[in-house]
Each structure stands twice: as C-alpha cells, then as structure tokens.
RNA sequence: GGCGCGGUAGCUCAGCUGGUUAGAGCGCUCGACUCAUAAUCGAGAGGUCGGGAGUUCAAGUCUCCCCCACGCCA
C-alpha cells in the first residue's frame, strides 16, 4: 500500500473563490486524493485557509468586524462551500491556528540558528491616524508624472510609472484617507535565500518528472538577473504570527509579525497537526518527518502557476534551511488559468462564476466533470457557457446518464427490477472486455500521473463503450428470439453501471453514489480487471431504477446564466 | 522595453527525444436503430499545422527572422 500526502494551495480568506481558483488546485487535488483512496492507498489530503496579511485586515474593516472574527466566519463559509463541491479534505485547517504559530516561529528560530536570517533596516511610511505602517500599495496620492489622483505608492495605474511612496504628491492612507503620514525607520528579517541557491538548484534538477511549466518558472526565478533574491519575511502589522525566535523573544522585533508568504506554506505541515488534534491525536509526524516514518510517503502539491515560485523556492528554502528532516514535495502539479468568456476570472472585479453561485445553479458533479475534463493543464483554457452546456449535456446526460437509464428501464420492463439470470458471454462480450481492460489500464496510468484531461477522455471512452455494446447487442431485438441471451446482455449492462460507478467516483462522486445505491452495492472495490468486474453482480439480486442522473442544461438556462454572470458580481 | 507561454480542422484541445496518407471530442451532413433523458450507434465532409528563410534523405516537431494573442516583470 502506498502512502500519499496531498496538499492543495490554500485559498486566501478574503472572500469566496471563483471557478478558476477551484480548478487550479483544490479540484484536481481532490480528484487525485479520491483516486488514491479508491486504489486502497493511504491518503492524507490537507487544505486550509490562508488568513494573514493586509488584504484580510482591510476586508474585515470593510465588513465592520474584528479581523479574527471575520476570518473565523469566512473560514466556516469556505469550508461549507468546499463540502458542497465534495472536496474530500481530511482536514481543512487555518493558517492562523496555534499549531501554525508555533511551527512558524520554530522554523524562524532554526533559520536564525543556521545564520540564514539577516536584519535589514528600511524606511517605510507610517500613518499616525491608522496607527500602523502602510504597505506601498496602500498609500495613494497624485502621480508626479501624469497627475492622476489615485496613484498608488508602488505604481501609477494610469501611466504605469513605477513609483516610490515618497514620490506621491499629497500622499494619503488608502485605509483611512488620512494625510498624517511620516516616514519611519523599521527593522525587518530577511531570509537569505541566495545562500541556498545551489541547494535549491540541485534539488530542482533532481525533479526530472515535473511539468515544464513548473521547472521553467522555478529556473527563471533562480537564474534571472542577479539570481535568487533574499526575501523579507516580516511585516509591521497586527494581524499575523508574532515574530519570535522559536520559544524565545526576538529582541528588536516586538510588535511585528511574519509575512503571510512565510507562514502560509508552513500551514501545510501545521495543518497535519490540526488534523491530529481533531482526530484524537493521530500521529501526524509519520506524514511529515522522514525520521519518523514519512520516508515512504509520496508528497504531491497542487497549485496555480502563480504559486509556483513560493513552492519551488521560498518554502523549500525554509525547509532546507532548517536542517531538519521534513518531507519535501515529490511532485508539484501546477495549472494555468481558466479564462471566462474571453477574459479573465477576476475576484477584485467580481467577473466570472464564484463557487457559491455555481452551486446555486447546478449540483457539484456538473461542475466537477466539466472543469476537470477541460482543466487548464498545458495552457490556459476557456470557460464559455456554450462549451459548458455542450460538455455537460453530451457527456453526462446523453452518454453516461442515458446509458444507466436505458439499461435499468429495459431490464425493469422485461425482467423486473432484478439482475436477470441465464446466458453466457460470447465473442461480442469478450471483445468488449478486452477493450475495457485496455482502457482501464490506461485510465489508471493517466490518473496515476495526474494527466487530468487525458484521464477524463479515457473515462468518457469507457462510458461510450457501453453504448456501443448495447447498440450492437441490441437486447430489445435479441429478446424476441433468445431471452436467455438478452438476459445475459442486460446483466452485462447492469454490471457496466457498477463498473462505471467505481471508475467515475473520483470525478463525479454523487452520481457514482446514486449508481451504487440503485444497484445495492455497499462498498465498491477498484476493479483489478474488466472480466471480474463485469461478473460481479449476483444474478437474482434486486435493484432500483434510479432517477435520471443528470438533467440537461436547456438553452433558456444557458442564456439566463450568460446574462446573469455577464456583469460583475452583485 | 525585457522575459515567459502559446498561435494545429467551425469550437475546445492532443501530438515525447524530427520519420509512412496530421489526431480526439464537440458542432455539422448523411445513414442505421428504437431499449433510453428526441437519447444511442455508424459513416462522411472539414486543416498548405501563424508567416518567411534555413538545417536534413525527412520538420507541426530543430535553428534564425517576423507577425499576432495572453501573462509576468522592471
């Protein structure tokens, strides 16, 4: 039995994510986790919310709530929606957890001990009215270049000129609008990533099976310009993990917190601790410490391409620098972007379909199937309502749903709701079994290697094979001359439904459950071969004709949704 | 401006280290069937692989130049 540690990039706390976010990490991660469990492997699948940083503070302020309260509420909402999409996390944690506080401080202490942290004094704008330092982009003012009055401290959006906050004319706080600003000196910690450049390079070179997208991004950051830069890992904020050196105070760093990008990936580890605490103290270190049983774990991360640098460089630098035997990622599966109707999905502009809205319209399986079978694997891909409608109607309703319908209903009318006895497999059945064996093997290969689209393609072909068989065998004609053979044919059809349920479950868990329930299958076993799988339903066992598994999306619905989601989010 | 990823049938996309008539699904046309969610099955039409030059016995697949779209960065 293999052991799989699987993590999805952790979604930021300040709102509900859109379908592009979903298909870029959580959904494919769930597909893989469900598949590995179905194969009988031991899986720990973790995800969490990423809760620290200025955007969370501002979102909380906008909602008129203390940031801790806001984050707790949003975490609950995101967890609820994840459940709605059937994301099967073993634990959905929080980067603000006590476990992550302790672990982040621990890592910082280890890095300091290894002389991989240096202190840097820099100048930063302080807002007296807000009582806080302001990140550059939260300072607004008039652009000295073009006169635009909403230029930000890092850049003018109007003329795109790169700015320093002190360049702005009449600078003001974007948080409160106050002009009572001053420049103060402040001290920050930098992680000396540059010192780890060779180690990181060697580590990445050892990953020959990573997607081109992943390694090319990592290499670029590693070698571009002056090479890998040291990175500030602290901020002057209230909301975050207080800077401490392990268990000890860090003189001169009082009142500061770690930068969100330092503590967020550490939450992957801390989350296992949260999982353990939530499950009666299960041993989590056997998943994360190679000196405590994790040496046989295969660790796979899923994320969008924008997260790749942090996962290939910053986080590994933290782990390597600690000098401790933490499990490092084995395979890193990254995704491109899903576009919405010719443009980008955008959280800030409310463009596209958001996870809560999607579930209001249709059940999870519809989205899971379409998003996974069209996921942006090798290049950006496109969501349009026409493509979505076509894909769902054809694959789910016409090919799979209708297959289940025609087999069960034909059986009910000719033999009753019982798996019919009699007849033996002939050439046509053997041919089908041979085809399904080949496809089953290929499907497993594709799923093992996380080739999501190709897996979906293969699964679809497996569904189609059932319709081809039925069309050729024509039990509705056979039964007139040879009822025994017709019984065998329809029994095979029923077995195919069970076969489909098992293979399809990682993609469409709810529909798979309905199929199994209809056939009175309690616990599905992953088929070792098609021959046995298609001979597994005991003749004489009763079943129930299920409701249609999938309704078609009508043109009216499609147009309706097209209009409804054309503008920004209400 | 620099860098990155792409530009393959009407649409969405496959095509590893160059090798017979360039593939899939959808859509479209025609035919078959009638058990089923007017579903299914079969057949067919559709591409000078963004443009140009080069390397090679042989290039969608390598090299160079150009054009276009998108993304990131300064």
């Amino acid at each position: 039995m293999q052991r799989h540690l699987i993590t999805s990039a952790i979604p930021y706390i300040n709102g509900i994510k859109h379908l592009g976010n979903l298909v870029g990490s959580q959904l494919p991660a769930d597909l893989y986790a469900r598949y590995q469990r179905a194969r009988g492997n031991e899986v720990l699948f973790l995800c969490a919310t990423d809760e620290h940083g200025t955007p969370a503070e501002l979102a909380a302020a906008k909602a008129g709530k203390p940031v801790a309260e806001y984050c707790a509420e949003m975490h609950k909402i995101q967890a609820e929606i994840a459940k709605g999409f059937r994301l099967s996390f073993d634990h959905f944690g929080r980067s603000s957890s006590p476990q992550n506080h302790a672990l982040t401080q621990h890592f910082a202490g280890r890095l300091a001990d290894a002389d991989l942290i240096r202190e840097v004094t820099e100048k930063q704008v302080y807002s007296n009215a807000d009582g806080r330092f302001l990140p550059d982009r939260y300072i607004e003012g008039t652009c000295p270049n073009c006169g635009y009055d909403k230029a930000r401290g890092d850049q003018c959006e109007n003329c795109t000129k790169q700015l320093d906050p002190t360049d702005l004319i009449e600078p003001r706080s974007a948080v409160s609008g106050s002009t009572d600003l001053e420049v103060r000196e402040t001290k920050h910690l930098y992680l000396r990533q540059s010192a780890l450049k060779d180690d990181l390079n060697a580590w990445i070179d050892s990953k020959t099976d990573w997607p081109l997208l992943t390694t090319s991004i990592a290499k670029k950051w590693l070698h571009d310009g002056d090479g890998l830069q040291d990175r500030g890992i602290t901020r002057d904020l209230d909301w975050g993990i207080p800077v401490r050196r392990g268990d000890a105070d860090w003189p001169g760093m009082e009142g500061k917190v770690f930068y969100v990008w330092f503590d967020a990936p550490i939450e992957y580890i801390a989350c296992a601790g949260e999982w353990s605490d939530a499950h009666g103290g299960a041993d989590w270190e056997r998943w994360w410490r190679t000196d405590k049983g994790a040496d046989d774990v295969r660790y796979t991360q899923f994320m969008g391409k924008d997260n790749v640098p942090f996962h290939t460089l910053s986080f590994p630098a933290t782990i390597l620098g600690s000098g401790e035997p933490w499990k490092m990622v084995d395979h890193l599966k990254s995704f491109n972007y899903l576009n919405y109707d010719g443009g980008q999905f955008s959280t800030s502009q409310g463009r596209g379909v958001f996870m809560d809205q999607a579930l209001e319209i249709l059940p999870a399986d519809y989205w899971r199937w379409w998003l996974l079978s069209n996921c942006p694997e090798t290049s950006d891909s496109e969501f349009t309502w026409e493509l979505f409608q076509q894909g769902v109607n054809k694959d789910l309703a016409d090919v799979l749903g209708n297959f289940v319908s025609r087999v069960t209903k034909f059986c009910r009318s000719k033999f009753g709701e019982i798996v019919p006895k009699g007849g033996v497999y002939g050439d046509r059945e053997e041919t089908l079994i041979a085809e399904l064996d080949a496809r089953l093997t290929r499907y497993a290969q594709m799923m093992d290697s996380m080739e999501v689209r190709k897996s979906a393609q293969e699964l679809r072909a497996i569904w189609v094979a059932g319709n081809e068989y039925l069309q050729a065998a024509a039990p509705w004609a056979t039964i007139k001359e040879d009822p025994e053979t017709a019984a065998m044919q329809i029994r095979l059809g029923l077995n195919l439904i069970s076969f489909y349920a098992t293979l399809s479950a990682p993609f469409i868990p709810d529909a798979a459950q309905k199929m199994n329930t209809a056939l009175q299958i309690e616990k599905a076993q992953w088929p070792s071969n098609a021959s046995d799988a298609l001979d597994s339903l005991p003749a004489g066992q009763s079943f129930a004709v299920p409701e249609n598994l999938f309704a078609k999306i009508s043109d009216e619905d499609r147009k309706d949704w097209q209009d409804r989601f054309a503008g920004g989010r209400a």
Side-chain angles (χ1 to χ4, degrees):
Chain A
M1 183 168 68
Q2 300 168 13
R3 300 177 62 213
H4 288 272
L5 173 63
I6 301 168
T7 60
S8 158
I10 63 179
Y12 199 68
I13 193 72
N14 69 338
I16 291 162
K17 304 295 112 178
H18 54 62
L19 296 182
N21 299 130
L22 177 66
V23 75
S25 56
Q26 292 178 322
L27 198 49
D30 182 67
L31 178 76
Y32 191 59
R34 285 177 178 274
Y35 168 71
Q36 291 299 351
R37 290 194 196 103
R39 297 303 308 263
N41 294 321
E42 192 181 1
V43 169
L44 186 65
F45 177 28
L46 301 173
C47 192
T49 41
D50 176 13
E51 306 194 356
H52 296 133
T54 309
E57 291 185 306
L58 297 181
K62 198 173 168 192
K65 290 174 183 164
V67 63
E69 190 183 311
Y70 171 82
C71 287
E73 283 177 15
M74 285 309 302
H75 176 267
K76 212 172 272 179
I77 290 172
Q78 291 209 19
E80 227 14 73
I81 295 174
K83 218 174 274 178
F85 274 98
R86 306 294 182 257
L87 301 175
S88 60
F89 309 131
D90 289 296
H91 191 73
F92 188 58
R94 304 180 60 186
S95 68
S96 62
S97 66
Q99 291 88 341
N100 197 34
H101 277 235
L103 198 58
T104 298
Q105 290 163 347
H106 167 80
F107 271 111
R110 292 289 305 189
L111 291 166
D113 292 346
D115 194 28
L116 288 168
I117 300 245
R118 63 186 169 91
E119 297 187 354
V120 174
T121 299
E122 44 196 33
K123 289 182 165 49
Q124 206 180 336
V125 173
Y126 185 85
S127 167
N128 289 304
D130 297 313
R132 57 179 289 171
F133 283 95
L134 295 175
D136 290 355
R137 64 191 163 129
Y138 287 113
I139 301 158
E140 288 183 343
T142 302
C143 175
N145 188 47
C146 71
Y148 180 60
D149 67 351
K150 288 197 184 73
R152 296 190 322 197
D154 55 346
Q155 185 177 34
C156 173
E157 284 180 343
N158 190 47
C159 67
T160 73
K161 186 177 169 59
Q162 209 68 23
L163 299 172
D164 201 67
T166 51
D167 296 338
L168 293 172
I169 299 163
E170 291 178 11
R172 60 183 183 276
S173 161
V175 178
S176 62
S178 166
T179 55
D180 185 10
L181 308 178
E182 62 182 64
V183 177
R184 288 191 186 177
E185 284 204 336
T186 179
K187 197 161 70 173
H188 283 295
L189 303 181
Y190 273 65
L191 174 59
R192 296 177 57 219
Q193 295 185 139
S194 53
L196 293 162
K197 184 182 168 183
D198 292 342
D199 290 340
L200 288 168
N201 195 43
W203 176 66
I204 287 165
D205 279 341
S206 74
K207 303 300 179 186
T208 53
D209 61 339
W210 283 11
L212 181 66
L213 180 67
T214 304
T215 47
S216 71
I217 292 174
K219 288 282 183 181
K220 177 180 182 269
W221 282 58
L222 213 43
H223 303 302
D224 219 33
D226 299 330
L228 190 61
Q229 299 297 300
D230 293 347
R231 193 169 188 100
I233 58 166
T234 55
R235 289 292 185 271
D236 287 294
L237 296 176
D238 293 329
W239 176 239
I241 296 175
V243 176
R244 289 175 66 82
R245 187 166 172 161
D247 296 331
D249 290 339
W250 202 312
M253 298 304 292
E254 295 81 5
K256 298 175 194 289
V257 300
F258 287 107
Y259 178 41
V260 60
W261 261 114
F262 183 68
D263 76 64
I266 295 173
E267 168 63 11
Y268 290 143
I269 306 175
C271 187
E274 294 174 51
W275 162 76
S276 166
D277 291 348
H279 291 81
D283 179 7
W284 66 270
E285 289 190 318
R286 64 188 282 271
W287 288 101
W288 273 108
R289 292 283 295 223
T290 55
D291 59 335
K292 294 178 182 174
D295 46 315
D296 66 339
V297 167
R298 180 167 165 83
Y299 177 24
T300 309
Q301 293 177 340
F302 290 81
M303 72 197 69
K305 61 183 169 186
D306 50 329
N307 278 339
V308 169
F310 299 100
H311 289 79
T312 52
L313 302 169
S314 304
F315 184 43
T318 300
I319 291 182
L320 285 172
S322 77
E324 294 175 327
W326 297 100
K327 178 72 197 168
M328 287 178 75
V329 65
D330 293 303
H331 197 91
L332 195 155
K333 175 80 177 176
S334 59
F335 291 85
N336 287 283
Y337 292 142
L338 180 69
N339 290 320
Y340 179 76
D341 240 346
Q344 290 185 331
F345 274 91
S346 166
T347 302
S348 56
Q349 292 168 34
R351 185 166 196 280
V353 185
F354 289 75
M355 286 170 72
D356 56 339
Q357 299 171 322
L359 289 179
E360 284 167 20
I361 295 177
L362 288 169
D365 281 353
Y366 292 68
W367 297 106
R368 290 179 62 104
W369 172 254
W370 193 88
L371 289 170
L372 287 168
S373 60
N374 292 279
C375 76
E377 227 164 358
T378 52
S379 63
D380 290 357
S381 68
E382 187 77 19
F383 175 94
T384 69
W385 288 102
E386 285 86 353
L387 287 169
F388 178 64
Q389 179 193 26
Q390 284 173 2
V392 163
N393 287 357
K394 188 70 185 175
D395 298 344
L396 295 183
D398 294 346
V399 174
L400 177 61
N402 182 53
F403 178 80
V404 172
S405 182
R406 67 196 295 206
V407 170
T408 54
K409 285 177 183 169
F410 181 81
C411 185
R412 179 172 62 187
S413 76
K414 304 297 179 191
F415 302 99
E417 287 180 281
I418 285 178
V419 180
K421 297 180 191 160
V424 288
Y425 290 175
D427 286 349
R428 184 180 283 122
E429 288 70 30
E430 294 307 326
T431 304
L432 172 68
I433 285 167
E435 182 195 343
L436 290 176
D437 265 328
R439 292 200 180 279
L440 174 64
T441 301
R442 194 176 138 77
Y443 179 58
Q445 278 170 357
M446 291 299 116
M447 290 292 268
D448 277 324
S449 53
M450 288 164 279
E451 294 273 3
V452 180
R453 289 178 87 124
K454 286 178 181 167
S455 299
Q457 219 172 4
E458 200 57 43
L459 181 58
R460 188 186 180 284
I462 289 170
W463 294 341
V464 167
N467 280 314
E468 286 171 1
Y469 169 78
L470 224 51
Q471 203 65 28
W476 50 89
T478 312
I479 195 161
K480 291 170 189 163
E481 312 291 326
D482 183 356
E484 284 262 305
T485 298
M488 176 276 289
Q489 291 169 339
I490 217 65
R491 187 170 66 248
L492 179 57
L494 290 167
N495 274 289
L496 274 171
I497 295 173
S498 139
F499 187 63
Y500 291 168
T502 307
L503 298 192
S504 309
F507 280 90
I508 46 174
D510 289 345
Q513 182 60 49
K514 282 182 195 166
M515 289 186 250
N516 279 331
T517 302
L519 293 173
Q520 299 187 353
I521 294 169
E522 303 249 319
K523 187 153 177 12
Q525 283 275 326
W526 190 267
S528 54
N529 63 71
S531 180
D532 293 347
L534 297 186
D535 198 22
S536 64
L537 285 180
Q541 177 172 297
S542 65
F543 69 91
V545 173
E547 294 289 308
N548 282 343
L549 294 179
F550 300 98
K552 290 202 198 196
I553 297 169
S554 68
D555 290 345
E556 290 69 40
D557 283 340
R558 192 201 74 219
K559 284 173 192 153
D560 200 39
W561 297 333
Q562 223 156 8
D563 292 342
R564 177 169 159 196
F565 295 102
R569 187 186 173 97

